[in-house]
Amino acid sequence: MAELSLMRSAMEQYVCSANEAISLKLVKNKSDIDDDSVGFNPEYTHQIFGQNENIFGYKDLKVQLYYSAAKLNLYLGKSCTEKVDPARFDGVKADDVTRMIIEKLGIYPMDSLDQFVNTLPNESSFVPSGTLLHSFTIHKDGKERRYEIYKTDISMQGFRQYHEKLQTFLWWFIDAVSYIDVDDDRWQFYLLFEKCVIDGTSQYSIAGYCTVYKYYAYPNKIRPRISQMLILPPYQRQGLGAQLLETIYIDYRQDLDVLDITVEDPSEDFIRLRDFVDCKACLHLSSFAPEQLYQGFDDEMVTEAQEKLKINKKQARRIYEILRLRVTDESNKELYRQYRLDVKKRLNIPYQVKVMRNACHK
């Protein structure tokens, strides 16, 4: 028993956190290879390494998964100070980390860092596929940074191969992810790029992307559904998610065949982003003017939000409550009471429906 306990204690020295051991990079030039500030860790690894998100068999394990910032050429390497000896632990072997990553992500990375570095001068030849929808600049750290958003689909030359590499980011940052069926031509893709200057040459760097599926809506409309949206960690908290979502909205609002826009199983972060973007848009609608908000949620709000902004009824109600709270003086007890009663009334509707159904069955 004591011997088993000692073996378990010894084996625990070879267990490390996958989230901490794995470092991803968007490499723009050779100097990024040795710049630790460029690297970022995954948010999720349980989809590859199990629920505990641990890797067994190494001490001081470091896994490098590098993407060239424009073409997304891949390098995968690892290092450690010590690897478990199966002879000491009843034949227990170390996890085959590179094989597990390669098989799960479906990638074909380079295993030579020199080979990877030699591809970087070709990054400047990359041109995004599809149609440029929007370009803008933001100011950060005293610098002006330029971004472009493109709309494309799988029929564009070279995009299928590009998307195969792009979608691998999802495993690290979206829970319960799965690859989409790109052979279905109802998928549309919106890609966000930073356009920067590297060594005097203009060059692109992928910053994020979104997939949208065009569902049918009876009798002759389509209902686009946002499926996956990701802004990569080096580009987060800069307002880029809002820029991408607003661009998608504007694109579909111009299409008379679009009924409204929905979202598939949104995360808490995306719900907040969507609410922010929709609130900004609804502030410009006459039906959402402060004096109208005090009168309560009505059909005019539903109609105007859907026809002008492609916002569905459920989301319009949510935005109404946010904006009504915004204009409600919480120090005014009567106004605040009316607001709370209005929300309570909405929350009671499912209960009232259930009571009525039960009564009908008696």
Side-chain angles (χ1 to χ4, degrees), residues 296-351:
F297 188 65
D298 58 27
D299 291 341
E300 185 180 350
M301 292 176 178
V302 175
T303 301
E304 190 174 22
Q306 186 172 55
E307 291 182 351
K308 294 184 178 180
L309 301 178
K310 307 299 183 183
I311 294 175
N312 61 44
K313 181 178 181 178
K314 182 179 179 180
Q315 180 67 1
R317 170 74 199 206
R318 182 179 176 88
I319 299 307
Y320 152 75
E321 290 183 6
I322 294 172
L323 293 182
R324 180 165 177 179
L325 179 60
R326 176 178 178 268
V327 300
T328 297
D329 182 358
E330 294 184 37
S331 65
N332 186 317
K333 293 183 178 181
E334 180 57 25
L335 283 178
Y336 193 46
R337 186 185 73 85
Q338 291 176 9
Y339 172 76
R340 288 186 288 108
L341 288 175
D342 190 55
V343 174
K344 185 178 180 180
K345 181 180 178 182
R346 188 259 303 169
L347 293 173
N348 281 337
I349 290 175
Y351 173 75

Side-chain angles (χ1 to χ4, degrees), residues 15-24 40-56 61 63-65 67 76 95-97 100-102 104-105 168-177:
V15 177
C16 64
S17 165
N19 290 13
E20 296 175 2
I22 297 171
S23 175
L24 296 90
F40 51 98
N41 299 106
E43 186 173 345
Y44 302 108
T45 55
H46 65 274
Q47 298 169 115
I48 300 174
F49 297 105
Q51 199 61 38
N52 292 328
E53 299 188 318
N54 287 333
I55 298 174
F56 171 75
L61 176 66
V63 179
Q64 301 91 23
L65 181 57
Y67 295 75
L76 177 61
D95 292 335
D96 192 343
V97 179
M100 295 170 75
I101 293 175
I102 288 172
K104 193 66 174 181
L105 272 60
T168 61
F169 283 114
L170 300 176
W171 289 105
W172 309 113
F173 300 105
I174 295 182
D175 194 13
V177 72

Side-chain angles (χ1 to χ4, degrees), residues 171-234:
W171 289 105
W172 309 113
F173 300 105
I174 295 182
D175 194 13
V177 72
S178 61
Y179 287 159
I180 63 174
D181 178 12
V182 295
D183 289 321
D184 189 332
D185 61 9
R186 285 174 288 186
W187 283 108
Q188 292 189 312
F189 305 83
Y190 295 82
L191 276 63
L192 169 67
F193 292 93
E194 179 186 11
K195 192 171 186 179
C196 45
V197 176
I198 304 296
D199 298 327
T201 304
S202 180
Q203 182 175 307
Y204 287 95
S205 173
I206 187 68
Y209 85 111
C210 182
T211 59
V212 182
Y213 190 82
K214 295 190 296 182
Y215 279 91
Y216 165 75
Y218 181 84
N220 58 354
K221 297 284 186 178
I222 59 172
R223 175 174 278 133
R225 178 178 294 179
I226 295 172
S227 175
Q228 303 160 327
M229 183 172 178
L230 175 64
I231 302 297
L232 293 171

